[in-house]
Structures are given as structure tokens and as C-alpha cells.
Amino acid sequence: MDSGEEKPAAAIYAMENKPIVTCAGDQALFTSLYTSLAQQLPREPMEWRRTYGRAPKMIHLEANFVQFKEELLPKDGTKALLTFPFLHIYWTDCCDSEAYRSSVKEDVSRWQSSLRSHGSADWLIIVVDGGDARKKNKSNILPRSSIVDKIRGDFCNKQNDRCVVLSDPLKDSSRSQESWNSLLLKLRTLLLMSFTKNLGRFEDDMRTLREKRTQPGWSFCEYFMVQEELAFVFEMLQQFEDALVQYDELDALFTQYVLNFGAGDAAKWLGSFCSPVLNWSGLLLRRPIDMEKRNGIQRGSASLLDMRSYLFSRQCTLLIFLQRPWEVTQRALELLHNCVQELRLLEVPVLEGALDCWVFLSCLEVLHRIESCCDRAQLAANSSHTVGLWAYATDKLKSLGQLCGLVSRTGPTSEDLNRTVDLLAGLGDERPETASSLQSPYKKLKEALSSVEAFERHYLELCQAAMEMYRAIGRLRSARLLGKSLAEFYMSKGQPERAEALLAEALRSYVSEGWSFPVTHTRKQMGECQKLLGRSVDSLQTSALLAGDANLSAEERTRFCRDVLDYAGEPVEQGGAASLDMGALARLTRIRFMPDGASVHTGAALQVELTLHCLMPVAVRADELAVGIHLDAEHASKGAGQGRGLPGTVDFEASASPTGRPASLSAGPPPEMDEAHDRSPSDDSLSSAGVVCKNAHLVIRRHDGGSPQDASRTPRGHAGPTGAAPATPVALKEGARMLTGRRIALEPGDNRVVLTAPSDEPGTYTLRRLSVTLANVNFVLPHIYPSVQYHVYSQEPQLSVQPLAEPLLAGLPQTVKFTLLTGHYAVRKGDALQLSNSDGMPVLANAGCSARISNSGAAVSESTLSVQSSDKVTSISLPPAPPYHALEFHLEVLCLIPPGPERPADERLTNGEIRHRPRSYSHPDTAMSAIDQRMSIDCPWSIYSTLLTLTFHIPFKTEHSLLSAGNRKFIRVCVHNVSDSDFTLAHVKLEERNVPGQDGRRRASLEMRSLNAGAEQLLCSKRSAHCLWEATCKEDLPSSLECVFSASFRPRRPHHAAAFQLFHYHFLLDKVPTLYSVRANMLPLAGERHCRSGSLCGLEVVIARLAEPAEGRTDADDGGGTDADGLGASKVLYEVADSSSNWAVCGRSSGLVSMPPSGSWAHKVHIEVMPLFAGHLPFPKIKVLKYLPHNINALQPDADSQVENDSLSLLDKTLDDATADTASVRSRGSVQSLGEQQHRGVALPRLDPFSPGQVFNHSHARQVLVLPANDDHIVEVHAT
């Protein structure tokens, strides 16, 4: 415990300060308990709840216990918190009533009176109970509780908790420990309450003072001291984050006033900070508190640098306590830049170079402070935070060297020496904290400014350290920028050989990233360096690039251009002409082929127009302009198809690099891509396609990262700036093809140069290299990117046939156009096309046929064709035509409509192969059927025949049907017009096909009586025409008829009547005669005239056979099956069903009828039915089916006739009787057994339907009247 002597002022603000607690009363007693109290008080944390909704915090409270003196009590107007006693304690162990009355009571009264007079209400009385040892030999000892009660009654009227008893403090017992815990909790609580109350009152006063900042007389320095007092308290409580907030608020407030000063709103107190800067010793971060600068702020005599230095030193100290050292470096860099700007804004007089000294010293001071609290591994891992300070210190040291003459070749002058003395004088004496350090910032700066050698050593050391850090963290741009600054230093020292590599590296970086102004500046420095090194070709390349640089003035560009032209006019040296990059002279903007399109045939005229944007400021006359081309003849096509995808005009992007390609690809040659096709060796069909790179060996090799224009500046025999070999232009092979132009004037801006391209050999020509020659200087563009190609093809003659109108209609003369592309073949006089005639499509000769010869769509001549036709061949004599022309002529052909669905026997050719006749098929795009007609044409230019196909569409779709009316037979033919044209039908006829009978003679008794009216009828599009005939015969009708329908038709044209064309339709009618007739009659109940719903009625069905099966056909085919017992009787099955639910069939619904094998015969069946509804109801449906026994099925097996049953069907025996019930017969080929036992795999009877017309139902559409049922109801009526 302090004995009461005051500490010096500097120690008041030390970091070891603790809250002051005064102790009055028995000092010896407190001294004996001080050690235990000081150790146990901060052990347990307390929750500190602050005002204004701020988050609570857990803090450990410590105290500085001092002897009570009235001088320590706060006086009116005192705002210091560090010297403020937060709690007052009175210690006593009095247990004697007389001693209490005589001395203790009066002492406590004086103590409280003194506290009340100074407004201190935070006090505590501690009564120590020392145990029984103190009570020996004392007769008037009172119980401890009595003394405590007296004290509480005398001094603690309403605050009984302000008197605490500490029992047996020196004993190790549970009672003693409990007493200590109670005392410590009370001390912590009272101390925290006092903190909260006094700190809140202080913050309110501080806030009130800050709100008065707009009033006259307000001083920022006074307010600074008040808020810093609050920061000291937070720091004393180890709340470093809150303390840092106070300094940040002061920093922001001061910065705002400085900005307002620059905007014209100047505060009076800010004038004291505008005083001249007399000391620039830099930051001082090795002291927790710089009392010298703080006293200057308190007196109002501090400069702007003093204020900023002190403020940052306090922030740095707190950040170090918070273990955030890397934030110190960030804030330091911002501080140094802002201070320079604030001094300029406030117009503070500063000696030239003083700020550079202050910044340099401050950077090194911050770095040394960070190094002192971090190890080497942490510094290496966080070099990204410190590299900015290293670079800034390097820049300021270079500025000081230039100011003091330490960078020039001649050394400092007397004026420079005087300036150096003034700068060193402003540093003052070295601080005691760094006097023992050999590498202190003060010593480094003083040594660097003392001599040229020392300056160069320190500058290179700093520069290399900063560059290595930048490279280590991946900030290559910053490293190259610092290297450029180092190169300027070497240039000023007359060492261009050391500056060249650094300038080249920076130039490559600027060019690749597109920084135009840095490129221009660095390129000028590079040119000076090359001149000093005596590299004329490199200097020439740089001068050419600068001559075309738009960032320079016209005078500078002209001067550089003259350097290039003067060099070009000099005699050629032994090394040959100098090769420079084309981007320095001109930029290729467009290549256009004339005529349009990049595909021509062999021997055709083709011109290439190049658009060059000249970058020179004056006109330049080129001796020669040449474009190197490469011919790829391996995949030369036989037509123009390969060159269709090549553009006729290629534009080059303006944003591309001077080499004519994107800057991203400037590190190497661009890839030259081409198509790769893999074809089958058998039929030359395309198997696969891909893309191949022709110059993969150049693209995938390693490059040094430099741009082509920089690499091309290195002459032959010299290493490049980075030590890599120079990039030489692509050498052309001996005898390579070239497009050349001589004596071409290039004006500034766009220039168009037209060159003639070769087309003597077929293949793909690629423009690869462009060069412009000015005397002994060659400007070369080694690769033209994107790739520019044109295609020269050699086309074979091609013959095609196209219809003039779509679609081609079969049965009518149609005009087709023959187009012959002569290709490389010249049609001579006497050449003819030989067309092989087809039976289904004859060629119609036309005397007025003419041929038209054209070139690229323009007519050249027209001549008459000679067409000679025979049975087998049609010969067409062609007029003479030159190569690569088109010859067109028209011919009429007629495709015959196929007669019908019958299929004639296959015909075989002389070689034994079957001749495939054209057949119609349905087309997916139209309702018309299509026919493909192939023609074979022999051409004079080929030994092979040309096969061409024409697709014709049949305009009609014909259908037929057989209609019956008892024994009478009618044939209906329907013609559908499925085309989009209207037709006229005439001469409609139907007759039996001329096929002899069994006796070799044709039936003469068959007659087709037409029931059609009118000789001609109109058949519109999408409409149908129906024709009807009755087939009569004096004898019985045959079982089958082969008929031929014929009609004449022509298109309907209002002003032109075409000739009729004939078409036939063949069809076959089978099972013509009517075999059975069915008649039905409905019989009501006896005594009723009509049927009634719900009552049984009788359905009488009569089945009669009208004709016998034809000879040579079995009953199974026509009339029914043969009986299983071999008697030859015919059997049919009848079934009565009603699908409309109008009738209910009662009893049996079906049955089997057996008929004699020959002669007419009828069978009558009676079936009971019940009508379900009233009204005119149609008759129930009566079906008659063929019955085929199992023995016929065995002879004629059918998949449907095999039903897997477990027992032999009883149907055969049961169905022999005509009256048997056949309700179990379900459908064709499916018979369910009547027995319970079944067998699998047994052949069962089969039911087949009759063909249409074989059974005629006379009652098919009859109806019967059904009356409703009798409704007899009794209605009771009650009358009142």
C-alpha cells in the first residue's frame, strides 16, 4: 500500500494505474489485511451493466488502496477520473464501549463530515472481529453485535449495509472464509456502483461539452483532454476496445474539422495547428504515452504533426494490447498519406523534404514496433500488411536522394549540402529509447543522407526488400512498378545495362494488361536506355512504336518517325535489313475478296483488298507490300461446297494488339485451326469430323511471357531483355507463293491496297504473313489472326432435274427443268445426253425446245435443242458451252398412273435380276400417293450413267365396294380427288377384265348396267365422285369378278382445254353370290295386337339358303362346315343379341342349324324376347356365322382354334340337334366346355363370320311398335 506520498504527474497516466480507494481509521489494522484483500479482490469477475443500452461486460476489479487525506477528495470543477477516489473505507476493530464513545465515534463523525462536504456518498465501515484474544484483560468488553449496532445506529440510518463485519480474518476457518467472501462481494458491488455512477456523470459532462463545439471559445484541445480521460479509465479497467473507440472518435472529429477548413468553414482553434512545422522526428511508438506531445496539446501549442503523432501512438498502443498488430500497419499507411494531404489543405509551411523525412522515419518506426511484438514467422506470413510501408519508405528515401543531390552522376552541390543540413537539424536529437539501437530509423536516415554510397546502399536494400515481399504475396504489378522506379534510379546513375531488364519487365506487364499511358512512358525510357547501350535495331523498333503512339504529341511522333525513315535511308549493314514488328507501322483492319465470296473455280480472277491503318504521323512510301500464302492441296474438293463457309470479308478487332490478334494471345503465335475429315475408303462416305491445329508445335511450346513487339526488338545475335532468345519472323520456304504490290504510298489513317490472288491450282489458300518493306527496314506481321482463307475448286459437271411446279402429278404431262453445270468440262458440238426410256414415264418430244446458257445467273446465249426419241432411248443434242457455265432446258414427261392393287408376275432382266417396277407409296407430307420414277442418263463426260429420280403424286385415290339387295348385286366405285387441282371426269366405264374362263372362253352373259347420269362431271379438290353399276347375268353370278374401271380426266382450266388422259383401276371382287337370307317377324302374345313392354313376345326367324357353294369350293369356304359324322350336311350358327339394351332375350339366344348339302332349304326358329321400353323399337340383331367342326380344324390348323381345356368338349354331341342351346358359344375360336372336366390341347369347333353380301337380312332396319305396360292403380279420394 502506498504510504500517502503523491506520485509524479507522468506516473498518473501509467498503464499500471488502478481505481483509488481511500482507507481511514486503524491503519495498522488495514496494513495487516492489505495483502489478502489486494489478492482476493480481482479474482472473481463482476458483470458491469452500463447505461444507454450498451452490452454488459465481465470485468475484474482491482484497487489502489491509499491512506485517506482530505486533499484527495475531488474539488468543484475537477474532471479527472484517474485521481478520483471511487470508494472510502473506515477500518476499526473497536470492541470497548468506552473507547468507541471517546475516540472512534468522533473520528468516524469527522470522516463522514469531510466526505459530505465534498459530495462523496460512496463509503463503507468495516468492523474487524479479531476473536477472543483481543478481549483478554478487558472487563468492559461488549459483544461485537452491540458495537456494530451502535455504529449502524449512529452513522448508517437507512444504509445498514454500509457497515460490514469481518470475522476472524487471519484464521483459516469456514466462518472466516464466509466473512471474507461477504466483504469482497460488498466491496466489488460498491466499487462497481461508484464506477457506473461517476463514469455516467462524466460521460454526460463530456457529451455536453462536445455539443458546445459550435460556440465561440470552444477548444478541441480541452475537449481532447476530457475524452482522453475517459479513454484512460477504460484502459485502467482493461477495456481496451472501448478506449480505442474514444481515440477513434477524436480522430474522426479532428479530421472533419480539417475537411471543413478546406471547404471554407474554419474554426478559430484550428489556427494553432497551422503553425510552421519545426520538428519532423517522426512517430514515437516505444512509449505508452508521449507526455511531451500530450503536454503540448494540453497547452495548445502542438502542431498538426504532433497531434497526429500522439493520437496514432495511443491507437497503436491499444491495438497492440488487443493483439491486432496488422491493423497498426494499415492505419499507419492511411495516416501518413492523410497527413501529407492535411498539411497541404491547411497550408502549413513545411521545409521542402521535411515531410519526406517524417514519413520515412514514421514508416520505419511502425515496422520496428511491429517487429518487436511478432516473431519472424508471423512477419513472413503477414508481409502483405507491411509491404506498403516498405514501399512508401523506399519512395520517400528516393525523393530525399533526388532533393539532396545523392542520385545525380556528379554528386551533391553546395546547395544540396545546405539543404541536407537543414533537414537533419529538423530531426532534433535522437530519442533515448533508440539511442542504443544500431538500426534505428534516426541513424538510418542520417547515414543515408551523409554520403552517396550510403544512400545507394540503403535505397537498394529497401527497394529489394519491398520487391521480394511483393513477389512473395503475388502482387507482381506492384513489384514491377517498384522495379521501374529502381530502373529510373539506375538511369540517373548512368547504369543503363542494369535498368534494361527492369524496364522490359514493366513494359511487358503494361502491354499485356493494356495500360496505354504507362506503356508510352516506359517505352520512351526504354528507347533512351537502348540508345545508351548502342542497340540501334532495338532503338529503331522502339522509335517506330512511339511514332505510332497516339498518347504522344504530334511533334514527338514526327521526331520518332524521322528517326525510322533516316535509318531506312542508310546503306544496308552487313547483318542485312532490320526486321520490325508490323504493329509499329500499321494495323491490319480488314481483308476483303473481290468478287464477293472466298470460293472461286480454277482460273477465275480473284483480287484481295487489304485495309491498313497507318499509324505514322506522316506519309510513308513502301517499296513492297507482300502477303505470304500457303496452299493446302491435299483436301482439294471437286466442287464449291468446301469453300461455302469461308467469309468474303474478315474484319480485325480494333482492340486487338498491334500484331492483329488479341492481347491475351500475344505471348505466342495463334493456333491455326482446320477441319479434319475421315472418310470410308469403300464408298467415300464421311465417317468422322474434327478440328486439328496445324501449328501445335509453336502454340504449345513455352514462351517467356513477353509480347511480340517487345520480343522483336531484340536483334539477331543478342539476348532479349529477360535473357530469352528473340522472336524472329516466320521464314518463307523457297518458291513460296506471294501476293505482292510495289511502290505503295501509306497515308496516315486507312489505306486500301488491292492485290491479285493466284487461282491456278485447286485447294485452300491461307494468308499467313504480311510484310511491308521500306528500303532496308522490313515491317513484318508473322501471323495473320484470325485465319483468312480462300478456296479454289475444280468442279465436275453436274446434271440435275427439277420440276417447274410442285408437286408433279401422275397421269398428266409435266414439265421438268434439266440443269447442267459444266464445271471444268467444255461442252463441244455433237455432245448429247442419252435418256433411257421407261414404260411408266415416257418422254414427250417437243419441237420448240430451247436451251439457255448462263454464267453466275446472267444469260449468255440461247439455242434450240434437238430431241430425238425412240422406243428405248431419247437423245438430246447439247449446244456448245464453255466451262463453269450453266445450261438449262425444259422437257415434258408423262408418268402413267398404276392400274390398281394387283401385282403382276415378276419380270426378269437379261442378267437374271428381277426388274423392280415403280410402286406407289404414301407420302408423309401429303394425302396423295407418290411414285418414284428413275431415269438413267448417259453423259459424254463420264463413262458412268447418271441416275436421277423424279417423284410423282397420284391425284386420285380409288375405292370399290360390293352392295347387295337380295340376289341383286351392285358395284360402287368412288374416286377421291386428293390433290389441290380441279378435274373433269368423262367416259366412265366398268367392265369385266378380259380373262378367259375354265373353257378358255369369256363369259358373254355378264352385263354391267350403268346407273350413272351425264357424260362429264366436275371433280373438285378434296371432293369425291361416286359411280354405280348393277351386275346382271343370265346364269348364276360367278363367285368372283375381276373388274376394270376406266375414266378420262383433264385439268379444269378456264381458258385452255387440255386433252383428256385415260387411267384404269383394276380390282377383284370375291364371294359375290348371296348364300343365305334371314327374315324375322315379331309375334305378340295371344289376344294382343301389339307387343307391350315387360311382356314376352315371339321372335320368328327364318333362315333360307338361296345358292349352293360354287364348284371347287368347300362348304367350309362358302356356306358352312361339314358334319363330323360324314353325312355332308352344312351347319350354320345363328345368334340373337341386342347391344342397345332394348330387348331381353329369354331362354336360348343361339343355336346350330344343319342343312342338306344341296338344293334350296329354309329353317324357322322361334325365340322368346321381352321389350324393355315402349315405342318403335328396332328388331334385335341377328347374326349368322359359319360353323367349322373340329375335324376341319384338324385338317386346317389355326392358332386361334386351340383352346387349353381340361376335358373333352360336349359341344359336338349337343350341337347335333338343331334345337340345342348354344348359349355357351362366345366368339370365334373360343368355345367354353359344358362339362366340368377339361383336357388341354384338344381341337375345338370354330366360328367364322360370312363375307359382306353372302348373308342378306331382310329385317335389318325394321321396327316394331311396343306399347307401354298396363298401369292399374287405385286412387283413394276422401271428400269432406
Side-chain angles (χ1 to χ4, degrees):
M1 181 184 109
D2 290 338
S3 58
E5 55 273 14
E6 297 183 0
K7 298 182 180 180
I12 294 178
Y13 305 101
M15 302 305 302
E16 294 79 11
N17 276 354
K18 300 174 185 177
I20 296 177
V21 177
T22 65
C23 297
D26 192 347
Q27 296 297 322
L29 175 64
F30 171 71
T31 303
S32 63
L33 301 175
Y34 170 75
T35 304
S36 299
L37 182 63
Q39 291 178 355
Q40 297 185 41
L41 182 64
R43 286 183 179 178
E44 297 293 333
M46 291 290 291
E47 184 181 22
W48 184 20
R49 295 183 177 272
R50 303 181 60 189
T51 57
Y52 298 105
R54 285 172 282 193
K57 296 183 179 181
M58 303 298 294
I59 61 175
H60 293 266
L61 290 175
E62 296 183 80
N64 182 16
F65 296 96
V66 299
Q67 184 177 358
F68 175 77
K69 291 183 180 181
E70 192 171 353
E71 291 82 6
L72 295 177
L73 297 178
K75 301 177 178 59
D76 294 339
T78 303
K79 297 181 180 180
L81 286 176
L82 292 181
T83 59
F84 182 84
F86 289 95
L87 185 63
H88 306 277
I89 303 176
Y90 188 91
W91 296 84
T92 181
D93 60 349
C94 177
C95 58
D96 187 358
S97 59
E98 299 229 357
Y100 170 74
R101 285 194 298 269
S102 62
S103 61
V104 174
K105 183 176 180 180
E106 293 181 2
D107 193 21
V108 174
S109 298
R110 287 194 301 269
W111 175 68
Q112 279 200 343
S113 298
S114 179
L115 294 180
R116 282 195 297 269
S117 64
H118 289 83
S120 297
D122 298 314
W123 51 270
L124 180 66
I125 299 175
I126 300 176
V127 180
V128 180
D129 183 6
D132 298 336
R134 300 175 56 88
K135 298 178 182 179
K136 293 179 179 180
N137 302 322
K138 291 186 179 181
S139 59
N140 56 350
I141 297 297
L142 295 176
R144 182 65 58 189
S145 59
S146 300
I147 296 298
V148 173
D149 292 340
K150 287 181 177 294
I151 295 175
R152 288 176 177 173
D154 295 338
F155 304 103
C156 308
N157 296 326
K158 297 181 179 180
Q159 296 176 327
N160 292 332
D161 59 336
R162 292 299 180 101
C163 182
V164 180
V165 178
L166 179 61
S167 302
D168 300 329
L170 300 179
K171 290 184 179 181
D172 188 9
S173 62
S174 59
R175 182 170 178 268
S176 174
Q177 187 64 34
E178 183 179 355
S179 179
W180 269 111
N181 293 339
S182 177
L183 174 63
L184 293 173
L185 179 61
K186 177 60 70 174
L187 283 178
R188 295 188 189 107
T189 303
L190 293 177
L191 192 57
L192 198 58
M193 290 173 57
S194 178
F195 264 130
T196 305
K197 179 180 63 177
N198 292 285
L199 205 59
R201 186 186 302 119
F202 184 86
E203 287 181 337
D204 292 340
D205 295 341
M206 183 189 71
R207 195 175 297 108
T208 302
L209 180 61
R210 183 173 58 194
E211 291 174 356
K212 296 179 181 180
R213 63 184 180 275
T214 56
Q215 298 179 4
W218 188 84
S219 173
F220 176 79
C221 295
E222 294 179 3
Y223 176 75
F224 180 89
M225 304 306 295
V226 172
Q227 189 162 0
E228 190 185 27
E229 188 79 16
L230 180 61
F232 284 152
V233 173
F234 285 126
E235 187 177 358
M236 178 180 63
L237 297 176
Q238 296 184 358
Q239 301 300 311
F240 303 115
E241 189 69 42
D242 293 333
L244 181 62
V245 170
Q246 308 307 316
Y247 285 109
D248 288 344
E249 290 180 357
L250 290 171
D251 190 356
L253 183 61
F254 186 78
T255 302
Q256 187 61 46
Y257 272 107
V258 174
L259 295 177
N260 293 341
F261 181 88
D265 185 10
K268 292 184 178 180
W269 57 265
L270 201 57
S272 61
F273 293 97
C274 297
S275 58
V277 177
L278 302 178
N279 183 277
W280 41 88
S281 57
L283 297 175
L284 178 59
L285 306 179
R286 302 171 192 261
R287 299 176 186 171
I289 301 175
D290 190 350
M291 293 303 303
E292 181 181 354
K293 288 185 174 59
R294 189 178 188 279
N295 293 333
I297 296 173
Q298 190 173 11
R299 292 191 304 268
S301 61
S303 65
L304 179 65
L305 292 182
D306 294 338
M307 169 63 75
R308 286 299 187 185
S309 299
Y310 176 75
L311 194 57
F312 180 77
S313 66
R314 295 295 302 136
Q315 291 172 329
C316 175
T317 300
L318 295 173
L319 287 171
I320 295 298
F321 286 149
L322 290 171
Q323 297 182 357
R324 288 150 58 181
W326 312 119
E327 190 175 343
V328 175
T329 60
Q330 177 184 354
R331 292 190 176 212
L333 201 57
E334 296 176 0
L335 168 74
L336 299 178
H337 286 285
N338 291 338
C339 282
V340 174
Q341 299 301 324
E342 289 176 354
L343 289 173
R344 295 176 182 175
L345 195 62
L346 297 178
E347 299 178 355
V348 177
V350 183
L351 179 65
E352 185 180 7
L355 278 181
D356 295 336
C357 293
W358 183 79
V359 171
F360 177 80
L361 293 173
S362 299
C363 288
L364 295 187
E365 178 68 15
V366 173
L367 291 173
H368 287 183
R369 183 70 180 91
I370 298 300
E371 290 175 358
S372 64
C373 61
C374 298
D375 54 17
R376 289 184 177 273
Q378 291 177 330
L379 291 173
N382 295 275
S383 58
S384 59
H385 298 90
T386 59
V387 66
L389 293 174
W390 285 101
Y392 202 18
T394 304
D395 182 65
K396 292 305 176 182
L397 184 60
K398 180 182 177 182
S399 300
L400 288 173
Q402 293 173 346
L403 183 65
C404 298
L406 300 174
V407 180
S408 62
R409 301 181 184 180
T410 58
T413 61
S414 58
E415 183 180 355
D416 297 334
L417 294 177
N418 293 332
R419 189 180 294 110
T420 303
V421 172
D422 295 339
L423 291 176
L424 294 177
L427 299 178
D429 298 332
E430 188 173 5
R431 293 158 180 161
E433 292 83 1
T434 61
S436 60
S437 176
L438 298 178
Q439 297 293 329
S440 65
Y442 181 86
K443 291 186 176 67
K444 281 189 176 182
L445 180 60
K446 194 170 184 180
E447 183 181 359
L449 298 181
S450 61
S451 65
V452 175
E453 293 77 8
F455 174 83
E456 183 175 356
R457 184 178 70 257
H458 285 287
Y459 176 73
L460 293 179
E461 179 183 350
L462 290 176
C463 195
Q464 293 296 337
M467 290 175 64
E468 289 178 2
M469 291 183 186
Y470 275 132
R471 292 192 182 100
I473 63 177
R475 294 178 56 179
L476 300 181
R477 294 191 188 95
S478 300
R480 291 164 183 166
L481 181 63
L482 201 57
K484 183 173 175 291
S485 177
L486 181 59
E488 295 174 356
F489 172 77
Y490 284 136
M491 290 292 293
S492 61
K493 298 290 290 184
Q495 301 174 359
E497 65 280 355
R498 303 180 66 180
E500 183 185 18
L502 298 172
L503 290 175
E505 185 179 4
L507 183 58
R508 278 195 297 270
S509 175
Y510 296 148
V511 170
S512 62
E513 297 175 7
W515 301 96
S516 61
F517 285 101
V519 165
T520 302
H521 183 262
T522 308
R523 195 167 274 159
K524 290 176 64 176
Q525 294 175 327
M526 195 70 179
E528 297 176 2
C529 179
Q530 291 165 348
K531 287 183 180 179
L532 293 176
L533 293 175
R535 297 179 179 175
S536 57
V537 178
D538 293 347
S539 176
L540 178 65
Q541 173 71 32
T542 304
S543 298
L545 291 171
L546 292 172
D549 198 329
N551 295 326
L552 296 177
S553 62
E555 293 77 9
E556 289 181 300
R557 294 178 60 191
T558 304
R559 176 170 57 84
F560 287 116
C561 183
R562 292 300 176 191
D563 294 342
V564 177
L565 296 179
D566 293 343
Y567 183 88
E570 295 178 359
V572 180
E573 298 179 359
Q574 185 177 0
S579 294
L580 305 182
D581 191 87
M582 177 64 71
L585 174 66
R587 185 176 66 249
L588 180 62
T589 60
R590 173 180 291 184
I591 294 180
R592 184 168 70 93
F593 292 96
M594 298 182 298
D596 293 338
S599 180
V600 296
H601 59 79
T602 54
L606 179 64
Q607 290 182 328
V608 181
E609 181 186 79
L610 280 71
T611 302
L612 295 173
H613 183 81
C614 184
L615 303 175
M616 293 295 161
V618 297
V620 177
R621 179 171 294 275
D623 297 336
E624 183 184 51
L625 187 147
V627 179
I629 58 177
H630 172 72
L631 171 61
D632 184 8
E634 295 180 0
H635 304 287
S637 64
K638 298 299 182 181
Q642 183 175 344
R644 289 177 184 172
L646 299 178
T649 301
V650 178
D651 293 321
F652 299 88
E653 297 180 3
S655 60
S657 64
T659 56
R661 52 195 163 107
S664 60
L665 298 176
S666 59
E672 296 183 6
M673 312 305 294
D674 195 8
E675 300 177 5
H677 301 281
D678 186 12
R679 296 186 177 274
S680 174
S682 58
D683 55 355
D684 198 34
S685 61
L686 183 63
S687 300
S688 62
V691 179
V692 64
C693 180
K694 293 184 177 181
N695 59 340
H697 61 290
L698 298 177
V699 175
I700 63 177
R701 72 177 181 180
R702 180 179 177 180
H703 302 281
D704 59 355
S707 59
Q709 61 265 38
D710 297 328
S712 61
R713 287 187 281 104
T714 306
R716 297 180 179 89
H718 296 275
T722 58
T728 58
V730 177
L732 295 178
K733 298 180 180 179
E734 185 177 357
R737 298 173 179 268
M738 301 283 291
L739 308 181
T740 57
R742 300 185 182 278
R743 300 182 180 276
I744 298 174
L746 298 178
E747 299 290 338
D750 290 339
N751 299 268
R752 290 178 174 80
V753 181
V754 179
L755 305 176
T756 302
S759 60
D760 50 345
E761 295 184 21
T764 300
Y765 292 79
T766 304
L767 280 63
R768 289 193 170 182
R769 179 178 181 269
L770 173 64
S771 64
V772 178
T773 303
L774 275 69
N776 59 345
V777 178
N778 292 330
F779 292 90
V780 180
L781 177 61
H783 299 280
I784 297 178
Y785 184 86
S787 180
V788 180
Q789 296 178 335
Y790 69 93
H791 183 67
V792 178
Y793 60 89
S794 175
Q795 184 177 6
E796 293 292 334
Q798 297 179 359
L799 180 63
S800 61
V801 180
Q802 295 177 346
L804 288 184
E806 290 286 352
L808 292 175
L809 297 180
L812 296 175
Q814 301 290 303
T815 304
V816 295
K817 181 176 74 171
F818 285 73
T819 303
L820 171 61
L821 301 178
T822 60
H824 65 82
Y825 181 78
V827 180
R828 297 179 296 271
K829 185 177 181 181
D831 290 346
L833 301 178
Q834 305 294 331
L835 277 71
S836 298
N837 291 339
S838 173
D839 296 340
M841 190 190 68
V843 178
L844 305 180
N846 190 355
C849 183
S850 62
R852 178 176 176 269
I853 302 175
S854 61
N855 184 15
S856 300
V860 177
S861 62
E862 188 170 351
S863 59
T864 304
L865 279 181
S866 175
V867 180
Q868 297 178 359
S869 181
S870 62
D871 295 340
K872 298 296 183 181
V873 177
T874 298
S875 178
I876 304 174
S877 299
L878 300 177
Y884 297 102
H885 280 62
L887 191 150
E888 300 176 353
F889 59 90
H890 298 166
L891 288 181
E892 282 192 351
V893 294
L894 177 62
C895 177
L896 303 179
I897 299 178
E902 81 283 357
R903 298 186 179 182
D906 292 334
E907 300 179 5
R908 293 187 178 272
L909 302 178
T910 55
N911 59 359
E913 296 182 358
I914 297 178
R915 178 178 181 178
H916 298 281
R917 296 182 179 272
R919 295 179 180 177
S920 61
Y921 59 92
S922 59
H923 199 277
D925 298 332
T926 178
M928 296 183 290
S929 299
I931 304 175
D932 289 338
Q933 294 287 355
R934 295 183 180 180
M935 61 175 66
S936 175
I937 304 176
D938 294 334
C939 306
W941 54 81
S942 176
I943 61 175
Y944 302 101
S945 298
T946 302
L947 297 178
L948 300 178
T949 302
L950 290 176
T951 300
F952 291 84
H953 295 81
I954 302 175
F956 304 124
K957 183 177 291 185
T958 310
E959 297 176 351
H960 67 278
S961 60
L962 178 64
L963 307 177
S964 301
N967 288 328
R968 299 177 65 184
K969 296 296 179 178
F970 299 89
I971 301 174
R972 180 178 63 87
V973 178
C974 180
V975 181
H976 302 278
N977 182 5
V978 294
S979 68
D980 296 330
S981 304
D982 298 339
F983 295 95
T984 300
L985 290 182
H987 311 110
V988 179
K989 185 186 299 184
L990 179 66
E991 58 184 8
E992 187 182 7
R993 190 176 181 185
N994 189 13
V995 177
Q998 295 179 356
D999 54 356
R1001 295 178 297 173
R1002 185 183 175 192
R1003 287 185 297 267
S1005 60
L1006 183 63
E1007 180 184 357
M1008 297 292 183
R1009 187 166 64 87
S1010 176
L1011 302 178
N1012 306 307
E1016 294 184 1
Q1017 55 180 323
L1018 178 63
L1019 183 57
C1020 298
S1021 173
K1022 313 301 180 185
R1023 295 294 183 266
S1024 303
H1026 298 269
C1027 304
L1028 189 64
W1029 287 267
E1030 182 180 1
T1032 60
C1033 187
K1034 296 178 180 179
E1035 304 173 357
D1036 293 337
L1037 287 173
S1039 61
S1040 62
L1041 289 176
E1042 293 188 30
C1043 302
V1044 178
F1045 170 78
S1046 62
S1048 299
F1049 71 98
R1050 67 181 178 185
R1052 185 189 178 196
R1053 297 175 182 173
H1055 305 290
H1056 177 69
F1060 279 101
Q1061 303 293 330
L1062 184 65
F1063 83 96
H1064 299 272
Y1065 174 67
H1066 296 241
F1067 59 91
L1068 175 65
L1069 294 175
D1070 198 8
K1071 300 178 182 179
V1072 176
T1074 302
L1075 301 180
Y1076 299 96
S1077 68
V1078 179
R1079 295 181 184 271
N1081 191 19
M1082 193 66 66
L1083 303 176
L1085 293 175
E1088 296 285 344
R1089 295 181 58 189
H1090 300 283
C1091 297
R1092 290 186 179 273
S1093 62
S1095 300
L1096 291 176
C1097 300
L1099 177 64
E1100 187 181 67
V1101 180
V1102 179
I1103 302 174
R1105 184 165 66 184
L1106 302 180
E1108 298 181 7
E1111 297 181 4
R1113 300 178 65 90
T1114 63
D1115 290 345
D1117 296 333
D1118 286 337
T1122 303
D1123 196 358
D1125 55 6
L1127 298 178
S1130 299
K1131 295 181 180 181
V1132 295
L1133 179 74
Y1134 69 89
E1135 182 181 5
V1136 178
D1138 184 31
S1139 60
S1140 59
S1141 301
N1142 293 325
W1143 301 87
V1145 181
C1146 303
R1148 67 178 183 272
S1149 62
S1150 60
L1152 190 63
V1153 178
S1154 180
M1155 299 184 181
S1158 62
S1160 299
W1161 184 87
H1163 182 76
K1164 184 182 295 184
V1165 179
H1166 184 80
I1167 301 173
E1168 292 183 348
V1169 295
M1170 178 187 294
L1172 302 179
F1173 303 99
H1176 290 275
L1177 302 181
F1179 273 58
K1181 188 175 181 181
I1182 303 172
K1183 297 181 181 179
V1184 178
L1185 304 173
K1186 300 177 186 179
Y1187 175 76
L1188 305 178
H1190 60 82
N1191 57 343
I1192 296 180
N1193 294 333
L1195 296 175
Q1196 300 175 1
D1198 188 271
D1200 294 335
S1201 65
Q1202 300 295 328
V1203 180
E1204 295 182 358
N1205 295 323
D1206 295 335
S1207 64
L1208 185 62
S1209 176
L1210 302 177
L1211 185 63
D1212 293 341
K1213 290 185 178 181
T1214 308
L1215 294 181
D1216 287 342
D1217 188 1
T1219 61
D1221 186 12
T1222 58
S1224 62
V1225 180
R1226 301 301 176 92
S1227 62
R1228 171 183 176 269
S1230 177
V1231 179
Q1232 183 175 355
S1233 175
L1234 298 178
E1236 296 181 355
Q1237 298 181 355
Q1238 298 179 348
H1239 297 276
R1240 297 180 181 268
V1242 179
L1244 300 179
R1246 190 178 67 188
L1247 300 177
D1248 284 344
F1250 284 96
S1251 298
Q1254 286 187 313
V1255 178
F1256 184 77
N1257 191 352
H1258 292 269
S1259 58
H1260 177 70
R1262 288 185 61 188
Q1263 292 181 343
V1264 61
L1265 176 61
V1266 178
L1267 299 179
N1270 294 328
D1271 192 4
D1272 297 331
H1273 292 84
I1274 299 175
V1275 179
E1276 295 182 2
V1277 180
H1278 299 275
T1280 59

